[in-house]
Amino acid sequence: AWKRFKQVTQEFDAMGFSDIPITSVFGGLALAGNSSTFYDIPEARVNSFLAKVSSAYKDRFVFCFNFYPYFDPHLEMDNYTEHQCKGALHESLCWE
């Protein structure tokens, strides 16, 4: 992933976009590392990637996470319904 990210970034830079912020979007699993790091196993070296990219690109790299409420085991259908989820939508869309 790191080599490919550098390659794509170099291609964009060559087209004149070197002042544009860059990112790679991660899901919630990226936060499943221990208390001081991001997820990092041989199949998903998130922490290693983020360490390299933030060191190489400094403030140009923008952290981005996409959380999928669909996978939240605590979200349920509204009580006494089989097809309404207004409560789950309210909880998922609330940023407070």
Side-chain angles (χ1 to χ4, degrees):
W2 171 238
K3 289 180 184 178
R4 179 71 177 140
F5 187 87
K6 288 192 308 183
Q7 176 188 356
V8 171
T9 302
Q10 289 170 352
E11 291 173 7
F12 278 101
D13 290 353
M15 292 186 286
F17 296 108
S18 60
D19 292 335
I20 303 297
I22 52 177
T23 193
S24 184
V25 181
F26 292 92
L29 182 61
L31 301 174
N34 67 33
S35 62
S36 63
T37 64
F38 294 98
Y39 198 63
D40 211 61
I41 62 170
E43 297 81 15
R45 297 206 179 275
V46 177
N47 195 65
S48 299
F49 174 83
L50 292 175
K52 290 177 184 177
V53 76
S54 60
S55 176
Y57 295 103
K58 310 284 186 236
D59 292 341
R60 185 177 177 201
F61 182 77
V62 179
F63 284 81
C64 184
F65 295 93
N66 188 2
F67 298 103
Y68 296 97
Y70 176 82
F71 296 111
D72 188 334
H74 302 98
L75 298 178
E76 299 177 352
M77 301 303 279
D78 293 341
N79 288 335
Y80 312 108
T81 71
E82 294 181 10
H83 56 78
Q84 291 184 0
C85 55
K86 292 178 184 176
L89 282 172
H90 177 75
E91 185 176 335
S92 296
L93 297 173
C94 180
W95 290 91
E96 295 180 11

